[in-house]
Amino acid sequence: MRVKVVSALLYVVILTALFVPLAFPATDASAGSSATGMSIISIRVPPRIRVEINSLHKLVMLTPNLPSGRTTYSHFGSGVDGALNVHNNRNDLLPYTIRSFDMNKADRTVKIWQIDGDAFEETAAQLVASRKIISSQFRGTLTFLVEPI
Amino acid sequence: MGKYLNYFDTKCGAEYVLSRILILVLLCLPLGIQSANAQLVRISGMDDFAFGSWSGSGNLTSSSTVCIYRSSGGGNYSVTASGSGAGSSFTVASGGSTIAYQVRWKQVGNSFSTLTASSPSSFAGASSSLTCGGSDNAEMEVQFSAANLGAASAGSYSGTLTFIIAPN
């Protein structure tokens, strides 16, 4: 009888020794298992006012959606990386700068003055004369980002 | 006592025990084969992509390196990415407005490949080390184009990007 018990115990020991090491990896992952990862993506697009530039000397933009309260603002042009320039249909570029602008929430207007119109025209004339650009209509956009503080 | 010894000699001798072990080994062999083929994969080191506020110009790009582990069978694996947009598209949303983005993936040291939503792409270089030896072996990139951002309505957008890694 004792031998039967010993024999049975031997079975249990051998079974445990053989199955236990195999059972855990088989449970954790079978062939073709996959892993999943997850990321949250967040981004904020602030309110902005878009101005079509048709005169570089003076622009007055009426806007109905200026945020109330204190705001911060920044601006960028339609050139590469927000560069301030206008372009014609050959993609010739004319740079410009802004002398000043005023955002008036009382009458909900944005007034923009292009800096030094004479310098701009002189630059344009020189570029045309040197045939680096052709005289034509130049267009661009100027965008103001307005964010509540 | 002699009876017991006799029983042991005839039923539990060395030959008897060895034959039982042989049977058990044969019974367990199929399990052993399955275990040898079992492949664990793991992706670790993922981060969220917080782009903050768009400055108003230029593309917005952010990347993150991760560790891809594969327990056996080489370093090849597939990546299937899905976004939280309609049809698992890569878009973030703010109310009813959405902005599309692009997802790219690469093995560190190689160039990026653009992923298509819900479509597996194959890559190599998975590590057999769970921690990739302390050096991540893959990189993911999320990019918003200036054109898409410029056309978007103002708002705070968010979405979920899910990656499924499988042995290849």
Side-chain angles (χ1 to χ4, degrees):
Chain A
M1 188 62 188
R2 279 177 57 192
V3 173
K4 279 187 179 177
V5 171
V6 170
S7 180
L9 284 173
L10 191 60
Y11 260 118
V12 171
V13 169
I14 293 170
L15 279 169
T16 305
L18 284 172
F19 277 97
V20 168
L22 298 174
F24 282 108
T27 306
D28 278 353
S30 58
S33 64
S34 61
T36 303
M38 201 173 283
S39 280
I40 305 295
I41 299 172
S42 56
I43 185 170
R44 184 169 182 279
V45 178
R48 53 202 187 282
I49 302 162
R50 213 168 167 80
V51 182
E52 287 290 332
I53 299 172
N54 48 23
S55 164
L56 285 166
H57 286 279
K58 184 177 181 180
L59 295 173
V60 178
M61 172 75 181
L62 283 173
T63 173
N65 61 352
L66 278 176
S68 59
R70 294 181 64 202
T71 57
T72 61
Y73 53 84
S74 55
H75 65 267
F76 57 94
S78 51
V80 175
D81 291 332
L84 300 180
N85 57 49
V86 287
H87 61 90
N88 63 9
N89 55 11
R90 289 199 336 173
N91 210 27
D92 296 324
L93 300 178
L94 267 179
Y96 66 92
T97 53
I98 295 173
R99 181 168 57 188
S100 66
F101 63 91
D102 174 51
M103 303 181 71
N104 189 329
K105 287 179 201 155
D107 62 4
R108 304 171 81 81
T109 61
V110 179
K111 296 175 183 174
I112 306 161
W113 285 268
Q114 189 267 325
I115 190 171
D116 201 352
D118 293 339
F120 172 79
E121 289 176 0
E122 187 179 332
T123 302
Q126 287 174 356
L127 290 171
V128 170
S130 62
R131 298 187 177 181
K132 289 182 179 175
I133 64 170
I134 61 168
S135 179
S136 61
Q137 188 173 17
F138 284 76
R139 295 175 180 276
T141 59
L142 181 60
T143 302
F144 284 81
L145 291 172
V146 186
E147 294 192 75
I149 295 174
Chain B
M1 187 66 178
K3 188 179 176 184
Y4 285 131
L5 284 173
N6 185 45
Y7 182 86
F8 184 81
D9 287 340
T10 55
K11 295 288 186 183
C12 293
E15 287 181 9
Y16 175 79
V17 172
L18 284 174
S19 69
R20 287 299 185 267
I21 291 173
L22 183 61
I23 290 168
L24 285 168
V25 168
L26 289 173
L27 282 171
C28 294
L29 198 56
L31 284 174
I33 291 168
Q34 184 183 342
S35 176
N37 281 346
Q39 295 170 5
L40 278 166
V41 287
R42 191 175 99 154
I43 178 171
S44 57
M46 288 190 70
D47 295 318
D48 290 342
F49 291 91
F51 283 90
S53 191
W54 183 46
S55 69
S57 66
N59 299 334
L60 277 184
T61 304
S62 182
S63 62
S64 171
T65 58
V66 293
C67 169
I68 304 296
Y69 160 77
R70 180 175 172 175
S71 61
S72 61
N76 294 335
Y77 64 94
S78 70
V79 179
T80 306
S82 54
S84 50
S88 300
S89 59
F90 298 140
T91 58
V92 288
S94 173
S97 302
T98 60
I99 309 175
Y101 59 87
Q102 190 181 56
V103 181
R104 304 201 302 165
W105 187 280
K106 73 173 184 178
Q107 175 187 351
V108 166
N110 288 8
S111 53
F112 276 112
S113 298
T114 302
L115 301 183
T116 303
S118 302
S119 178
S121 298
S122 297
F123 295 92
S127 174
S128 58
S129 158
L130 265 173
T131 58
C132 292
S135 180
D136 289 340
N137 54 10
E139 186 171 2
M140 62 181 77
E141 182 187 80
V142 172
Q143 184 179 80
F144 290 88
S145 71
N148 287 345
L149 291 168
S153 304
S156 293
Y157 293 76
S158 64
T160 306
L161 179 59
T162 304
F163 294 96
I164 297 175
I165 311 297
N168 209 359

